[in-house]
């Protein structure tokens, strides 16, 4: 897919600020990003790092449904970081990604409560979708996401560090998701934000989220 794409190769070596722009005029609510995220990251039952909500706008006979993909906003000033008592939730300095060190997380739920975007979850166990018996994929994937510790969107940091875009961006059929470096004025995301009307979710809270919705 070419629209909104850009190579991220070599950019992780300098100070970046990764972000996502969501084109609300393109999103059709297909949930491909939701399914792709679960496959890529192996999240357990009931845990969705990316989800799509439907919002009704207007009134009959002029009404429409707007689909809004939701995720961790990797805020510039994330409220989840200062409340973490162990330092498990932190901001990666080279690119402003908000990540979690599972070895330090004690599952206290402080960050879950602090997040205004409902973007964090703490699964209580690592059961498979079919009960106690897990598939081969689940046995491998769930070992990376232990139960009792917080989980959230990582912006597919494992892909970014290899010069790739997040999985949800790669697979979006209508190309409604644009990923890039907000610190680079020549990036696709910076250009589209400059020319299109947009909003950031709950910007009034002072979190400065790095997800933008194009209207």
């Amino acid at each position: 897919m070419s629209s909104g794409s850009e190579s991220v190769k070599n950019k992780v070596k300098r100070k970046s600020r990764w972000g996502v722009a969501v084109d609300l005029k393109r999103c059709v609510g297909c949930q491909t990003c939701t399914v792709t995220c679960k496959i890529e990251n192996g999240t357990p039952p009931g845990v969705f790092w990316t989800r799509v909500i439907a919002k009704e706008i207007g009134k009959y006979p002029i009404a429409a449904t707007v689909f809004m993909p939701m995720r961790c906003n990797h805020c510039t000033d994330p409220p989840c970081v200062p409340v973490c008592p162990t330092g498990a939730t932190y901001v990666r300095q080279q690119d402003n990604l908000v990540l979690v060190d599972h070895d330090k997380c004690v599952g206290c739920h402080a960050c879950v409560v602090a997040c205004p975007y409902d973007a964090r979850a703490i699964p209580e166990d690592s059961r498979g979708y079919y009960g106690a018996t897990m598939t081969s994929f689940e046995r491998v994937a769930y070992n990376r996401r232990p139960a009792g510790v917080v989980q959230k969107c990582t912006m597919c940091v494992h892909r970014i560090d290899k010069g790739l875009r997040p999985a949800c961006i790669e697979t979006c059929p209508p190309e409604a998701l644009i990923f890039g470096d907000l610190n680079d004025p020549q990036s696709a995301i910076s250009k589209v934000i400059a020319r299109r009307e947009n909003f950031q979710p709950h910007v009034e809270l002072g979190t400065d989220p790095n997800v933008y919705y194009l209207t």
Side-chain angles (χ1 to χ4, degrees):
M1 298 181 182
S2 60
S3 175
S5 67
E6 66 173 289
S7 173
V8 298
K9 189 176 182 180
N10 298 324
K11 286 194 174 184
V12 293
K13 296 180 181 179
R14 65 171 176 81
K15 179 66 175 180
S16 302
R17 184 163 62 95
W18 302 118
V20 174
V22 182
D23 192 336
L24 297 179
K25 292 182 178 179
R26 281 181 173 266
C27 183
V28 296
C30 67
Q31 301 283 353
T32 299
C33 57
T34 302
V35 175
T36 298
C37 179
K38 287 197 71 68
I39 295 172
E40 179 71 25
N41 296 289
T43 59
V47 176
F48 297 89
W49 291 0
T50 297
R51 61 194 190 281
V52 181
I53 64 172
K55 180 180 179 181
E56 302 293 333
I57 61 173
K59 294 182 179 180
Y60 177 85
I62 304 175
T65 300
V66 175
F67 298 101
M68 299 182 64
M70 309 287 286
R71 68 183 68 223
C72 170
N73 288 264
H74 292 274
C75 305
T76 303
D77 188 11
C80 54
V81 172
V83 300
C84 179
T86 65
T89 292
Y90 66 99
V91 176
R92 196 165 80 155
Q93 293 306 307
Q94 66 262 37
D95 51 21
N96 208 69
L97 291 181
V98 180
L99 303 174
V100 178
D101 184 338
H102 290 151
D103 291 333
K104 293 182 179 180
C105 181
V106 294
C108 69
H109 288 76
C111 63
V112 177
V113 175
C115 176
Y117 305 104
D118 193 24
R120 290 171 170 252
I122 299 182
E124 298 303 323
D125 59 64
S126 297
R127 69 188 187 285
Y129 270 89
Y130 300 99
T133 302
M134 292 192 288
T135 65
S136 298
F137 171 79
E138 289 171 335
R139 283 195 295 271
V140 173
Y142 292 1
N143 282 335
R144 298 178 299 171
R145 320 282 181 212
V149 298
V150 72
Q151 296 190 18
K152 61 175 286 297
C153 163
T154 65
M155 199 80 82
C156 281
V157 64
H158 60 288
R159 291 176 59 86
I160 291 176
D161 287 349
K162 294 178 181 179
L164 304 173
R165 298 186 300 167
C168 59
I169 310 295
E170 292 284 3
T171 59
C172 179
E175 299 181 356
L177 303 175
I178 303 109
F179 168 77
D181 184 0
L182 291 163
N183 282 347
D184 179 4
Q186 298 305 312
S187 67
I189 187 172
S190 293
K191 289 180 178 179
V192 75
I193 289 173
R195 74 170 185 269
R196 291 273 301 274
E197 290 190 10
N198 62 81
F199 67 90
Q200 296 164 280
H202 293 306
V203 69
E204 72 279 0
L205 299 178
T207 59
D208 192 12
N210 289 307
V211 173
Y212 292 75
Y213 290 90
L214 308 175
T215 58

